[in-house]
Amino acid sequence: MPDKELLIPGQLSMAQLRRLCAVVPPPVRLDDACRPGVRASAALVHQAASSGAAVYGVNTGFGKLANTRIAREDLAILQLKLLRSHAVGVGEPLSRRVVHLILLLKAASLARGYSGVREEVIDALLDLHNHGICPVIPCQGSVGASGDLAPLAHLCLPLIGEGEVFYKDQRLPAAAALKQAGLPALQLSAKEGLALINGTQVSTALALDALFATERLLEAAVISGALTLDAARGSDGPFDPRIHAVRGQPGQIACAAAYRALMIGSEIRRSHLDNDDRVQDPYCLRCQPQVMGACLDQLRYAARVLAIEANAVTDNPLVFADEGNLLSGGNFHAEPVALVCDALAVAIAEIGAITERRIAMLVDTVVSRLPPFLTPDAGLNSGFMIVHVTAAALASENKSLAHPASVDSLPTSANQEDHVSMATFAARRLQPMLRNTAHIVGIELLAAAQGIEFLRPLKSSAPLERVLRLIRIVSPAMMEDRSLARDMEAVHHLVASGDVARALDADMPELHALRLA
Protein backbone atom coordinates (compact mmCIF):
# COMPACT_ATOMS: atom_id res chain seq x y z
CA MET A 1 0.00 0.00 0.00
CA PRO A 2 1.37 3.48 -0.81
CA ASP A 3 2.29 5.85 2.01
CA LYS A 4 -0.74 7.37 3.66
CA GLU A 5 -1.34 11.06 3.05
CA LEU A 6 -1.54 13.14 6.21
CA LEU A 7 -4.95 14.69 6.85
CA ILE A 8 -4.63 17.81 9.02
CA PRO A 9 -8.09 19.08 9.99
CA GLY A 10 -8.59 22.70 8.97
CA GLN A 11 -5.51 22.73 6.74
CA LEU A 12 -6.59 20.98 3.55
CA SER A 13 -4.99 22.85 0.65
CA MET A 14 -6.38 23.08 -2.86
CA ALA A 15 -3.49 20.91 -4.07
CA GLN A 16 -4.32 18.23 -1.51
CA LEU A 17 -8.02 18.41 -2.32
CA ARG A 18 -7.13 17.83 -5.96
CA ARG A 19 -5.19 14.68 -4.98
CA LEU A 20 -8.03 13.46 -2.77
CA CYS A 21 -10.49 13.94 -5.65
CA ALA A 22 -8.60 11.60 -7.95
CA VAL A 23 -10.14 8.52 -9.57
CA VAL A 24 -7.90 6.48 -7.26
CA PRO A 25 -7.39 8.70 -4.19
CA PRO A 26 -4.51 7.96 -1.83
CA PRO A 27 -5.01 6.32 1.57
CA VAL A 28 -4.91 8.80 4.43
CA ARG A 29 -4.02 9.03 8.09
CA LEU A 30 -5.28 11.54 10.60
CA ASP A 31 -2.94 14.00 12.27
CA ASP A 32 -2.80 12.82 15.89
CA ALA A 33 -2.50 16.41 17.10
CA CYS A 34 -6.25 16.81 16.68
CA ARG A 35 -7.20 13.93 18.97
CA PRO A 36 -7.11 15.70 22.37
CA GLY A 37 -9.57 18.30 21.07
CA VAL A 38 -11.85 15.55 19.74
CA ARG A 39 -11.79 13.79 23.12
CA ALA A 40 -12.58 16.98 25.02
CA SER A 41 -15.49 17.74 22.71
CA ALA A 42 -16.93 14.23 23.07
CA ALA A 43 -16.57 14.41 26.85
CA LEU A 44 -18.62 17.62 26.99
CA VAL A 45 -21.40 15.98 24.95
CA HIS A 46 -21.37 12.99 27.31
CA GLN A 47 -21.63 15.38 30.25
CA ALA A 48 -24.55 17.21 28.62
CA ALA A 49 -26.35 13.95 27.90
CA SER A 50 -26.00 12.94 31.54
CA SER A 51 -27.06 16.28 33.02
CA GLY A 52 -30.75 16.17 32.16
CA ALA A 53 -30.81 19.69 30.65
CA ALA A 54 -32.37 19.95 27.18
CA VAL A 55 -29.65 20.12 24.49
CA TYR A 56 -30.70 20.08 20.85
CA GLY A 57 -29.58 16.96 19.05
CA VAL A 58 -28.28 15.35 22.22
CA ASN A 59 -31.49 14.60 24.12
CA THR A 60 -34.15 16.20 21.91
CA GLY A 61 -35.77 15.41 18.59
CA PHE A 62 -34.66 17.09 15.40
CA GLY A 63 -35.95 19.90 13.20
CA LYS A 64 -39.59 20.65 14.04
CA LEU A 65 -39.34 18.04 16.81
CA ALA A 66 -36.61 19.94 18.65
CA ASN A 67 -38.93 20.56 21.61
CA THR A 68 -39.52 16.84 22.15
CA ARG A 69 -37.37 15.48 25.00
CA ILE A 70 -35.82 12.02 24.66
CA ALA A 71 -35.36 9.73 27.64
CA ARG A 72 -31.76 9.02 28.67
CA GLU A 73 -32.09 5.30 27.97
CA ASP A 74 -33.16 6.10 24.38
CA LEU A 75 -30.31 8.44 23.43
CA ALA A 76 -28.29 5.81 21.57
CA ILE A 77 -31.29 4.47 19.64
CA LEU A 78 -32.20 8.09 18.78
CA GLN A 79 -28.97 8.44 16.79
CA LEU A 80 -29.51 5.09 15.09
CA LYS A 81 -33.04 6.00 14.07
CA LEU A 82 -31.80 9.35 12.78
CA LEU A 83 -29.50 7.68 10.24
CA ARG A 84 -32.19 5.23 9.17
CA SER A 85 -34.98 7.79 8.81
CA HIS A 86 -32.88 10.27 6.86
CA ALA A 87 -31.46 7.79 4.32
CA VAL A 88 -34.20 8.46 1.76
CA GLY A 89 -32.31 9.66 -1.30
CA VAL A 90 -33.26 8.67 -4.84
CA GLY A 91 -31.55 8.58 -8.21
CA GLU A 92 -28.32 7.16 -9.57
CA PRO A 93 -25.38 6.73 -7.17
CA LEU A 94 -22.84 9.50 -6.90
CA SER A 95 -19.48 8.71 -8.49
CA ARG A 96 -17.05 6.80 -6.32
CA ARG A 97 -14.49 9.57 -6.72
CA VAL A 98 -16.90 12.09 -5.19
CA VAL A 99 -18.04 9.73 -2.42
CA HIS A 100 -14.47 9.11 -1.27
CA LEU A 101 -13.90 12.86 -1.14
CA ILE A 102 -17.10 13.24 0.93
CA LEU A 103 -15.82 10.64 3.41
CA LEU A 104 -12.56 12.55 3.83
CA LEU A 105 -14.22 15.97 4.11
CA LYS A 106 -16.62 14.65 6.74
CA ALA A 107 -13.81 13.04 8.73
CA ALA A 108 -11.68 16.20 8.55
CA SER A 109 -14.58 18.39 9.66
CA LEU A 110 -15.44 16.17 12.66
CA ALA A 111 -11.76 16.02 13.59
CA ARG A 112 -11.68 19.79 14.10
CA GLY A 113 -13.06 18.98 17.56
CA TYR A 114 -16.25 21.03 17.50
CA SER A 115 -18.75 18.25 16.79
CA GLY A 116 -18.73 16.16 19.94
CA VAL A 117 -18.10 12.79 18.33
CA ARG A 118 -15.69 10.17 19.60
CA GLU A 119 -12.42 9.37 17.84
CA GLU A 120 -13.87 6.01 16.85
CA VAL A 121 -16.39 7.70 14.56
CA ILE A 122 -13.71 9.61 12.65
CA ASP A 123 -11.48 6.55 12.44
CA ALA A 124 -14.40 4.50 11.11
CA LEU A 125 -14.95 6.99 8.27
CA LEU A 126 -11.26 6.84 7.36
CA ASP A 127 -11.33 3.02 7.56
CA LEU A 128 -14.05 2.93 4.91
CA HIS A 129 -11.91 5.08 2.62
CA ASN A 130 -8.63 3.26 3.27
CA HIS A 131 -10.23 -0.17 2.73
CA GLY A 132 -11.83 0.91 -0.55
CA ILE A 133 -15.39 0.67 0.78
CA CYS A 134 -17.53 3.22 -1.04
CA PRO A 135 -21.04 3.89 0.33
CA VAL A 136 -23.83 3.98 -2.24
CA ILE A 137 -25.27 7.52 -2.15
CA PRO A 138 -28.31 8.30 -4.35
CA CYS A 139 -27.67 11.62 -6.05
CA GLN A 140 -31.01 13.31 -5.32
CA GLY A 141 -32.73 14.31 -2.10
CA SER A 142 -30.79 17.17 -0.51
CA VAL A 143 -31.87 20.82 -0.38
CA GLY A 144 -28.55 22.00 1.05
CA ALA A 145 -29.89 22.78 4.54
CA SER A 146 -30.09 21.48 7.25
CA GLY A 147 -26.96 20.20 5.57
CA ASP A 148 -26.87 17.35 3.08
CA LEU A 149 -29.08 15.21 5.29
CA ALA A 150 -30.22 12.36 3.01
CA PRO A 151 -26.95 11.79 1.13
CA LEU A 152 -24.89 11.99 4.32
CA ALA A 153 -27.23 9.48 5.98
CA HIS A 154 -26.56 7.10 3.09
CA LEU A 155 -22.83 7.82 3.47
CA CYS A 156 -22.86 6.90 7.16
CA LEU A 157 -25.30 3.96 7.33
CA PRO A 158 -22.43 1.57 6.48
CA LEU A 159 -20.67 2.66 9.67
CA ILE A 160 -23.40 0.87 11.63
CA GLY A 161 -23.47 -2.08 9.23
CA GLU A 162 -26.49 -0.95 7.23
CA GLY A 163 -27.06 0.42 3.75
CA GLU A 164 -25.17 -0.54 0.61
CA VAL A 165 -21.60 -0.09 -0.59
CA PHE A 166 -19.36 -0.69 -3.58
CA TYR A 167 -16.52 -2.97 -2.57
CA LYS A 168 -14.10 -4.88 -4.80
CA ASP A 169 -16.17 -4.06 -7.90
CA GLN A 170 -19.38 -5.34 -6.34
CA ARG A 171 -22.46 -3.61 -4.95
CA LEU A 172 -23.36 -5.40 -1.75
CA PRO A 173 -24.83 -4.90 1.73
CA ALA A 174 -22.56 -2.87 3.98
CA ALA A 175 -22.53 -5.57 6.66
CA ALA A 176 -21.04 -8.06 4.20
CA ALA A 177 -18.36 -5.60 3.07
CA LEU A 178 -17.39 -4.76 6.65
CA LYS A 179 -17.07 -8.46 7.43
CA GLN A 180 -14.88 -9.08 4.37
CA ALA A 181 -12.67 -6.10 5.26
CA GLY A 182 -12.46 -7.12 8.92
CA LEU A 183 -14.05 -3.89 10.17
CA PRO A 184 -16.51 -3.75 13.09
CA ALA A 185 -19.87 -1.99 12.92
CA LEU A 186 -20.00 1.18 14.99
CA GLN A 187 -22.22 1.75 18.01
CA LEU A 188 -23.29 5.41 18.02
CA SER A 189 -23.35 7.61 21.12
CA ALA A 190 -25.22 10.84 21.87
CA LYS A 191 -25.18 13.44 19.07
CA GLU A 192 -23.03 11.33 16.78
CA GLY A 193 -25.74 10.49 14.27
CA LEU A 194 -26.67 14.17 14.02
CA ALA A 195 -23.04 15.23 13.57
CA LEU A 196 -22.63 12.67 10.78
CA ILE A 197 -25.62 13.78 8.71
CA ASN A 198 -25.41 17.54 9.36
CA GLY A 199 -23.01 19.43 7.12
CA THR A 200 -22.19 20.58 3.61
CA GLN A 201 -19.67 17.90 2.64
CA VAL A 202 -21.73 16.43 -0.23
CA SER A 203 -22.38 19.74 -1.98
CA THR A 204 -18.78 20.82 -1.34
CA ALA A 205 -17.30 17.61 -2.78
CA LEU A 206 -19.53 17.84 -5.85
CA ALA A 207 -18.52 21.47 -6.30
CA LEU A 208 -14.81 20.72 -5.97
CA ASP A 209 -15.06 17.89 -8.48
CA ALA A 210 -16.77 20.27 -10.93
CA LEU A 211 -14.26 23.04 -10.23
CA PHE A 212 -11.31 20.84 -11.18
CA ALA A 213 -13.11 19.74 -14.35
CA THR A 214 -13.90 23.36 -15.24
CA GLU A 215 -10.23 24.23 -14.86
CA ARG A 216 -9.33 21.58 -17.46
CA LEU A 217 -12.16 22.76 -19.69
CA LEU A 218 -11.08 26.40 -19.63
CA GLU A 219 -7.53 25.50 -20.65
CA ALA A 220 -8.78 23.41 -23.55
CA ALA A 221 -11.15 26.19 -24.65
CA VAL A 222 -8.32 28.75 -24.68
CA ILE A 223 -6.32 26.37 -26.88
CA SER A 224 -9.24 25.68 -29.22
CA GLY A 225 -9.94 29.41 -29.47
CA ALA A 226 -6.34 30.12 -30.45
CA LEU A 227 -6.50 27.39 -33.09
CA THR A 228 -9.70 28.88 -34.52
CA LEU A 229 -8.11 32.33 -34.60
CA ASP A 230 -5.36 30.94 -36.82
CA ALA A 231 -7.74 28.91 -39.00
CA ALA A 232 -9.84 32.06 -39.59
CA ARG A 233 -6.68 34.12 -40.17
CA GLY A 234 -7.70 36.49 -37.43
CA SER A 235 -5.65 39.32 -36.01
CA ASP A 236 -3.47 38.97 -32.94
CA GLY A 237 -3.64 42.73 -32.34
CA PRO A 238 -6.48 42.46 -29.77
CA PHE A 239 -4.19 40.30 -27.62
CA ASP A 240 -1.56 43.02 -27.19
CA PRO A 241 -0.65 43.19 -23.48
CA ARG A 242 -1.12 46.97 -23.36
CA ILE A 243 -4.83 46.61 -24.07
CA HIS A 244 -5.36 44.30 -21.12
CA ALA A 245 -3.05 46.12 -18.73
CA VAL A 246 -5.09 49.33 -18.90
CA ARG A 247 -8.24 47.44 -17.94
CA GLY A 248 -6.53 45.58 -15.13
CA GLN A 249 -8.72 42.51 -14.81
CA PRO A 250 -6.33 39.72 -13.67
CA GLY A 251 -8.03 36.84 -15.47
CA GLN A 252 -8.17 38.80 -18.71
CA ILE A 253 -4.46 39.65 -18.47
CA ALA A 254 -3.56 36.00 -17.83
CA CYS A 255 -5.71 34.70 -20.67
CA ALA A 256 -4.34 37.24 -23.16
CA ALA A 257 -0.81 36.13 -22.28
CA ALA A 258 -1.80 32.50 -22.89
CA TYR A 259 -3.28 33.32 -26.31
CA ARG A 260 -0.13 35.20 -27.31
CA ALA A 261 2.08 32.30 -26.25
CA LEU A 262 -0.08 29.82 -28.16
CA MET A 263 0.04 31.81 -31.39
CA ILE A 264 3.64 32.99 -31.49
CA GLY A 265 5.58 31.95 -34.60
CA SER A 266 2.58 31.00 -36.74
CA GLU A 267 3.33 30.99 -40.48
CA ILE A 268 -0.40 31.41 -41.08
CA ARG A 269 -0.36 34.64 -39.10
CA ARG A 270 2.62 35.99 -41.04
CA SER A 271 0.91 35.16 -44.35
CA HIS A 272 -1.84 37.76 -43.87
CA LEU A 273 -0.04 40.58 -42.09
CA ASP A 274 -0.17 42.60 -45.31
CA ASN A 275 -3.03 43.26 -47.71
CA ASP A 276 -5.76 41.98 -45.38
CA ASP A 277 -8.77 44.25 -45.92
CA ARG A 278 -10.56 43.23 -42.71
CA VAL A 279 -10.51 45.96 -40.06
CA GLN A 280 -11.78 43.99 -37.05
CA ASP A 281 -12.56 40.38 -36.25
CA PRO A 282 -15.90 39.22 -34.81
CA TYR A 283 -16.23 39.39 -31.03
CA CYS A 284 -15.92 35.60 -30.71
CA LEU A 285 -12.29 35.98 -31.85
CA ARG A 286 -11.41 39.48 -30.68
CA CYS A 287 -12.93 39.36 -27.19
CA GLN A 288 -11.66 35.96 -26.11
CA PRO A 289 -9.40 37.31 -23.32
CA GLN A 290 -12.24 39.40 -21.92
CA VAL A 291 -14.74 36.52 -21.86
CA MET A 292 -12.41 33.72 -20.84
CA GLY A 293 -10.62 35.95 -18.36
CA ALA A 294 -13.89 36.78 -16.61
CA CYS A 295 -14.62 33.04 -16.41
CA LEU A 296 -11.16 32.42 -14.97
CA ASP A 297 -11.76 35.04 -12.28
CA GLN A 298 -14.99 33.25 -11.34
CA LEU A 299 -13.08 29.96 -11.04
CA ARG A 300 -10.49 31.57 -8.79
CA TYR A 301 -13.21 33.02 -6.56
CA ALA A 302 -14.96 29.66 -6.39
CA ALA A 303 -11.69 27.99 -5.43
CA ARG A 304 -11.24 30.37 -2.48
CA VAL A 305 -14.76 29.79 -1.18
CA LEU A 306 -14.61 26.02 -1.61
CA ALA A 307 -11.20 25.74 0.05
CA ILE A 308 -12.67 27.46 3.11
CA GLU A 309 -15.77 25.26 3.04
CA ALA A 310 -13.73 22.06 2.69
CA ASN A 311 -12.01 22.93 5.97
CA ALA A 312 -15.12 24.18 7.75
CA VAL A 313 -17.16 22.79 10.65
CA THR A 314 -20.73 22.74 9.37
CA ASP A 315 -22.81 20.54 11.67
CA ASN A 316 -25.07 21.65 14.54
CA PRO A 317 -25.00 22.17 17.47
CA LEU A 318 -21.29 22.99 17.82
CA VAL A 319 -19.26 22.03 20.87
CA PHE A 320 -16.79 24.52 22.32
CA ALA A 321 -15.09 22.38 24.92
CA ASP A 322 -12.71 25.09 26.17
CA GLU A 323 -15.65 27.24 27.28
CA GLY A 324 -17.93 24.32 28.17
CA ASN A 325 -20.59 25.49 25.69
CA LEU A 326 -22.81 23.81 23.12
CA LEU A 327 -24.13 26.40 20.68
CA SER A 328 -26.89 25.92 18.15
CA GLY A 329 -26.42 27.79 14.88
CA GLY A 330 -26.75 27.44 11.13
CA ASN A 331 -23.37 26.52 9.63
CA PHE A 332 -25.10 23.66 7.80
CA HIS A 333 -26.71 26.19 5.44
CA ALA A 334 -24.80 25.75 2.20
CA GLU A 335 -25.45 29.18 0.68
CA PRO A 336 -21.73 29.88 0.04
CA VAL A 337 -21.49 26.67 -1.97
CA ALA A 338 -24.76 27.30 -3.80
CA LEU A 339 -23.74 30.78 -4.93
CA VAL A 340 -20.32 29.77 -6.23
CA CYS A 341 -21.88 26.80 -8.05
CA ASP A 342 -24.34 29.14 -9.72
CA ALA A 343 -21.40 31.35 -10.72
CA LEU A 344 -19.55 28.30 -12.07
CA ALA A 345 -22.64 27.31 -14.05
CA VAL A 346 -22.72 30.70 -15.76
CA ALA A 347 -18.98 30.50 -16.49
CA ILE A 348 -19.32 27.00 -17.98
CA ALA A 349 -22.24 28.15 -20.11
CA GLU A 350 -20.29 31.19 -21.31
CA ILE A 351 -17.26 29.10 -22.27
CA GLY A 352 -19.59 26.97 -24.38
CA ALA A 353 -21.48 29.97 -25.77
CA ILE A 354 -18.47 31.83 -27.18
CA THR A 355 -17.01 28.55 -28.44
CA GLU A 356 -20.22 27.76 -30.33
CA ARG A 357 -20.06 31.20 -31.94
CA ARG A 358 -16.55 30.47 -33.23
CA ILE A 359 -17.73 27.18 -34.75
CA ALA A 360 -20.58 29.06 -36.45
CA MET A 361 -18.05 31.56 -37.77
CA LEU A 362 -15.80 28.84 -39.16
CA VAL A 363 -18.57 27.17 -41.20
CA ASP A 364 -19.73 30.55 -42.58
CA THR A 365 -17.60 31.14 -45.65
CA VAL A 366 -18.48 34.85 -45.77
CA VAL A 367 -16.81 35.44 -42.40
CA SER A 368 -14.14 32.74 -42.27
CA ARG A 369 -13.13 32.86 -45.97
CA LEU A 370 -12.82 29.10 -45.76
CA PRO A 371 -14.82 26.69 -47.96
CA PRO A 372 -18.53 26.57 -47.00
CA PHE A 373 -19.07 24.23 -44.02
CA LEU A 374 -15.37 23.35 -44.14
CA THR A 375 -15.74 20.90 -47.02
CA PRO A 376 -14.09 21.10 -50.47
CA ASP A 377 -17.25 20.13 -52.36
CA ALA A 378 -20.14 21.82 -50.55
CA GLY A 379 -23.51 20.66 -51.78
CA LEU A 380 -22.45 17.12 -52.51
CA ASN A 381 -20.91 17.21 -49.02
CA SER A 382 -22.51 18.75 -45.94
CA GLY A 383 -19.20 18.92 -44.11
CA PHE A 384 -19.48 20.45 -40.65
CA MET A 385 -23.02 21.81 -41.14
CA ILE A 386 -24.75 19.46 -38.69
CA VAL A 387 -21.75 19.19 -36.40
CA HIS A 388 -22.34 22.87 -35.70
CA VAL A 389 -26.03 22.12 -35.08
CA THR A 390 -24.99 19.69 -32.35
CA ALA A 391 -22.83 22.39 -30.75
CA ALA A 392 -25.74 24.85 -30.90
CA ALA A 393 -28.08 22.33 -29.27
CA LEU A 394 -25.65 21.77 -26.41
CA ALA A 395 -25.04 25.49 -25.90
CA SER A 396 -28.79 26.08 -25.75
CA GLU A 397 -29.24 23.27 -23.22
CA ASN A 398 -26.60 24.87 -21.02
CA LYS A 399 -28.59 28.10 -20.93
CA SER A 400 -31.45 26.32 -19.17
CA LEU A 401 -29.12 24.46 -16.83
CA ALA A 402 -27.39 27.73 -15.89
CA HIS A 403 -30.53 29.05 -14.20
CA PRO A 404 -29.53 29.85 -10.59
CA ALA A 405 -30.42 27.00 -8.27
CA SER A 406 -29.94 29.12 -5.16
CA VAL A 407 -33.04 31.25 -5.85
CA ASP A 408 -35.35 28.23 -5.80
CA SER A 409 -35.63 27.75 -2.04
CA LEU A 410 -38.56 25.64 -0.82
CA PRO A 411 -39.43 25.41 2.91
CA THR A 412 -39.06 21.97 4.56
CA SER A 413 -39.57 20.33 7.96
CA ALA A 414 -43.00 21.87 8.55
CA ASN A 415 -41.58 25.35 7.88
CA GLN A 416 -38.91 25.07 10.58
CA GLU A 417 -36.32 24.99 7.81
CA ASP A 418 -37.94 27.75 5.81
CA HIS A 419 -35.04 28.88 3.60
CA VAL A 420 -32.68 26.38 2.03
CA SER A 421 -29.76 26.74 -0.38
CA MET A 422 -30.35 24.03 -3.02
CA ALA A 423 -26.55 23.81 -3.09
CA THR A 424 -26.44 20.08 -3.77
CA PHE A 425 -28.40 20.38 -6.99
CA ALA A 426 -26.48 23.57 -7.83
CA ALA A 427 -23.28 21.51 -7.71
CA ARG A 428 -24.67 18.30 -9.22
CA ARG A 429 -26.07 20.03 -12.32
CA LEU A 430 -22.57 21.24 -13.23
CA GLN A 431 -21.58 17.80 -14.54
CA PRO A 432 -24.04 17.70 -17.48
CA MET A 433 -23.04 21.28 -18.28
CA LEU A 434 -19.38 20.29 -18.26
CA ARG A 435 -20.08 17.36 -20.57
CA ASN A 436 -21.99 19.63 -22.95
CA THR A 437 -19.27 22.26 -23.04
CA ALA A 438 -16.46 19.73 -23.39
CA HIS A 439 -18.28 18.42 -26.46
CA ILE A 440 -18.60 21.97 -27.85
CA VAL A 441 -14.87 22.61 -27.32
CA GLY A 442 -14.06 19.24 -28.91
CA ILE A 443 -16.17 20.17 -31.94
CA GLU A 444 -14.29 23.45 -32.23
CA LEU A 445 -10.98 21.60 -32.18
CA LEU A 446 -12.20 19.39 -35.03
CA ALA A 447 -13.55 22.33 -37.02
CA ALA A 448 -10.45 24.48 -36.51
CA ALA A 449 -8.19 21.58 -37.46
CA GLN A 450 -10.27 21.11 -40.61
CA GLY A 451 -9.92 24.80 -41.39
CA ILE A 452 -6.14 24.61 -41.06
CA GLU A 453 -6.13 21.85 -43.71
CA PHE A 454 -7.24 24.42 -46.30
CA LEU A 455 -4.30 26.68 -45.41
CA ARG A 456 -1.57 24.09 -45.89
CA PRO A 457 1.34 23.98 -46.50
CA LEU A 458 1.46 26.93 -44.11
CA LYS A 459 1.99 25.90 -40.51
CA SER A 460 0.46 27.21 -37.33
CA SER A 461 2.57 27.89 -34.23
CA ALA A 462 4.67 25.12 -32.70
CA PRO A 463 2.27 24.62 -29.73
CA LEU A 464 -0.81 24.54 -31.95
CA GLU A 465 0.85 22.13 -34.38
CA ARG A 466 1.33 19.75 -31.42
CA VAL A 467 -2.36 20.04 -30.68
CA LEU A 468 -3.18 19.37 -34.34
CA ARG A 469 -1.09 16.20 -34.28
CA LEU A 470 -2.96 15.05 -31.16
CA ILE A 471 -6.30 15.65 -32.89
CA ARG A 472 -5.22 13.84 -36.04
CA ILE A 473 -4.34 10.73 -34.02
CA VAL A 474 -8.06 10.26 -33.27
CA SER A 475 -9.65 12.09 -36.22
CA PRO A 476 -8.26 12.26 -39.78
CA ALA A 477 -9.08 15.27 -41.94
CA MET A 478 -12.51 14.99 -43.57
CA MET A 479 -12.35 15.76 -47.28
CA GLU A 480 -15.62 13.96 -47.98
CA ASP A 481 -18.53 13.27 -45.72
CA ARG A 482 -18.40 10.58 -43.06
CA SER A 483 -19.97 10.26 -39.64
CA LEU A 484 -17.94 12.24 -37.12
CA ALA A 485 -19.71 10.77 -34.09
CA ARG A 486 -16.75 8.62 -33.01
CA ASP A 487 -14.31 11.45 -33.71
CA MET A 488 -16.37 13.77 -31.55
CA GLU A 489 -16.39 11.30 -28.66
CA ALA A 490 -12.64 10.80 -28.94
CA VAL A 491 -11.87 14.52 -28.94
CA HIS A 492 -14.36 15.08 -26.11
CA HIS A 493 -12.25 12.67 -24.07
CA LEU A 494 -9.09 14.65 -24.91
CA VAL A 495 -10.78 17.80 -23.63
CA ALA A 496 -12.43 16.39 -20.50
CA SER A 497 -9.36 14.42 -19.41
CA GLY A 498 -7.03 17.41 -19.73
CA ASP A 499 -4.94 15.71 -22.42
CA VAL A 500 -5.23 18.72 -24.75
CA ALA A 501 -3.50 20.98 -22.25
CA ARG A 502 -1.06 18.26 -21.14
CA ALA A 503 0.21 18.06 -24.71
CA LEU A 504 1.67 21.53 -24.10
CA ASP A 505 2.79 21.12 -20.49
CA ALA A 506 6.52 21.04 -21.23
CA ASP A 507 7.01 24.67 -22.24
CA MET A 508 3.84 26.69 -21.70
CA PRO A 509 4.10 28.62 -18.42
CA GLU A 510 1.46 31.05 -19.69
CA LEU A 511 -1.00 28.17 -19.91
CA HIS A 512 0.01 26.92 -16.46
CA ALA A 513 -0.83 30.38 -15.11
CA LEU A 514 -4.49 29.69 -15.86
CA ARG A 515 -4.56 26.86 -13.36
CA LEU A 516 -5.85 27.19 -9.83
CA ALA A 517 -3.30 27.34 -7.04
Side-chain angles (χ1 to χ4, degrees), residues 413-431:
S413 192
N415 282 311
Q416 174 75 5
E417 296 158 7
D418 56 356
H419 181 279
V420 297
S421 72
M422 298 298 179
T424 318
F425 171 66
R428 181 168 56 83
R429 64 74 140 85
L430 297 177
Q431 286 302 330

Side-chain angles (χ1 to χ4, degrees), residues 17-67:
L17 290 166
R18 193 190 303 274
R19 292 192 298 274
L20 298 178
C21 195
V23 174
V24 183
V28 300
R29 60 185 176 89
L30 187 65
D31 181 17
D32 285 337
C34 74
R35 293 185 181 275
V38 172
R39 294 186 200 113
S41 175
L44 185 58
V45 168
H46 178 74
Q47 178 184 332
S50 303
S51 70
V55 181
Y56 174 72
V58 176
N59 53 17
T60 73
F62 309 103
K64 192 72 171 181
L65 303 175
N67 294 325

